[in-house]
Amino acid sequence: MRTLGVGGATIDTVLETDEVVVGGTLRGEVRVKGGASDQDIRGVTIEIVTRCLVETRSDNRVHAEIILASGTIELGRVTAGEELAAPLEIDIDPAAPISIGTTTSFVRTRVNVPGAVDPTDKDPVRLLPTPAMLAVISGLEQAGFALTETEVEHNPRRANPFVQEFDFRPRGFNDFGIDEVEISFQPIRGGVEVLLTVDNRGGFFTMGRERSARFQIRDADRSDIVAQLRAAISSLR
C-alpha cells in the first residue's frame, strides 16, 4: 500500500496478501516511522469496505459503501525517527459480500492526528468465495446461465447483516420461459445453504411466477453440483 504522510511521520499498512476467503482473517502490519520531531498520533484505523449495489427502504437501488469490519491501533506519541510495527488482524464475516461482478472491496486506512485533516488511503482487496460458494456459482455457469448482476441487502439489525444476491440469465433455448435464476448464500458449518429462486416468464394465458427452494452444499462434498442445480431449476419451472 502507499505510505501516508502525517506531518513528519509516515504510516504504511502492509498486508500479507490482498485476497482472503470470507470467514477468514486478513493479516498484516502497520508500520510507522517518526519524522524530524516528536508527534502525537492518536490511532490508525483499518477498515474493510465493500462498494456494491444496495436496495434502499424506498425500493431504489443505489451504489453505496458498507464497512464490513474494522480495527484500530493506538499509537500516541511517536518520537523523532522512531520506527514501530504493530500486527494487524481483521476477521472477515462469513456472510461478507464476495468480490464478483459489480461488487468490489478495498482496505481503507484512516489516521487520527490532532489538529490535522484525517488523511486516508485505500487499496483494493479481494474477498473470495468459499469452495462451496464457488462450486455453486461455477455450476450455474456450466449449466448454461450467465451472471448478470450482484446486489447486497444490508441490515445491521439482523444477526446476518449481509445478504448478497446473484442474478443469472439463461444463455440457451433449453431454458426458454425462465427469465432469471437468483441465488443467495447463508453460511453454515462446513458449507453454505443456498436459496435458489427461479423467475418464470408469463405467457399469453399464464402469469409469471417465482418459486424457490433451499438446499445445502458442503465444502468437502461438491460432486454432481451441475446435476443438482439442474434438477432444482427443473422442479421450480
Side-chain angles (χ1 to χ4, degrees):
M1 292 188 173
R2 293 185 297 274
T3 300
L4 282 173
V6 283
T10 58
I11 295 179
D12 196 12
T13 301
V14 180
L15 301 177
E16 290 183 2
T17 176
D18 60 0
E19 296 182 340
V20 60
V21 176
V22 292
T25 302
L26 192 66
R27 294 183 173 86
E29 64 180 14
V30 175
R31 300 173 183 173
V32 182
K33 184 174 183 180
S37 59
D38 296 353
Q39 189 172 6
D40 289 322
I41 300 176
R42 289 175 179 161
V44 179
T45 299
I46 310 298
E47 299 171 332
I48 310 299
V49 183
T50 286
R51 180 169 175 78
C52 53
L53 190 65
V54 299
E55 186 172 319
T56 66
R57 291 181 179 179
S58 57
D59 294 331
N60 294 322
R61 301 164 85 191
V62 299
H63 280 93
E65 292 182 355
I66 301 171
I67 297 177
L68 304 180
S70 65
T72 300
I73 296 173
E74 305 294 338
L75 291 178
R77 174 58 61 101
V78 177
T79 60
E82 181 180 14
E83 294 187 13
L84 304 171
L88 172 70
E89 289 192 354
I90 298 180
D91 295 329
I92 307 299
D93 193 303
I98 63 173
S99 302
I100 188 172
T102 57
T103 302
T104 59
S105 293
F106 57 88
V107 176
R108 180 163 60 199
T109 303
R110 296 183 180 275
V111 184
N112 188 345
V113 184
V117 176
D118 181 4
T120 61
D121 184 30
K122 59 183 183 180
D123 292 88
V125 63
R126 294 188 66 220
L127 304 186
L128 304 179
T130 64
M133 294 166 64
L134 181 59
V136 174
I137 293 171
S138 299
L140 271 173
E141 292 175 338
Q142 293 174 46
F145 294 84
L147 179 65
T148 57
E149 189 173 72
T150 61
E151 179 181 334
V152 177
E153 292 183 5
H154 178 229
N155 185 345
R157 293 186 295 273
R158 290 187 309 213
N160 176 11
F162 313 108
V163 177
Q164 187 175 21
E165 298 175 348
F166 305 82
D167 296 337
F168 291 80
R169 291 191 180 275
R171 290 196 298 252
F173 292 108
N174 290 337
D175 294 299
F176 180 78
I178 295 179
D179 185 48
E180 186 176 78
V181 173
E182 178 184 289
I183 61 169
S184 60
F185 299 111
Q186 173 68 41
I188 59 174
R189 185 180 296 274
V192 290
E193 181 179 77
V194 182
L195 172 62
L196 186 148
T197 300
V198 176
D199 184 1
N200 295 285
R201 291 195 192 103
F204 288 109
F205 304 105
T206 58
M207 296 285 291
R209 62 178 182 176
E210 288 186 353
R211 300 181 65 191
S212 300
R214 293 181 182 272
F215 53 92
Q216 295 182 355
I217 301 294
R218 301 289 173 176
D219 290 327
D221 182 13
R222 306 184 302 278
S223 59
D224 299 326
I225 183 64
V226 176
Q228 186 173 351
L229 289 167
R230 262 287 160 207
I233 292 170
S234 295
S235 70
L236 299 173
R237 296 189 66 169

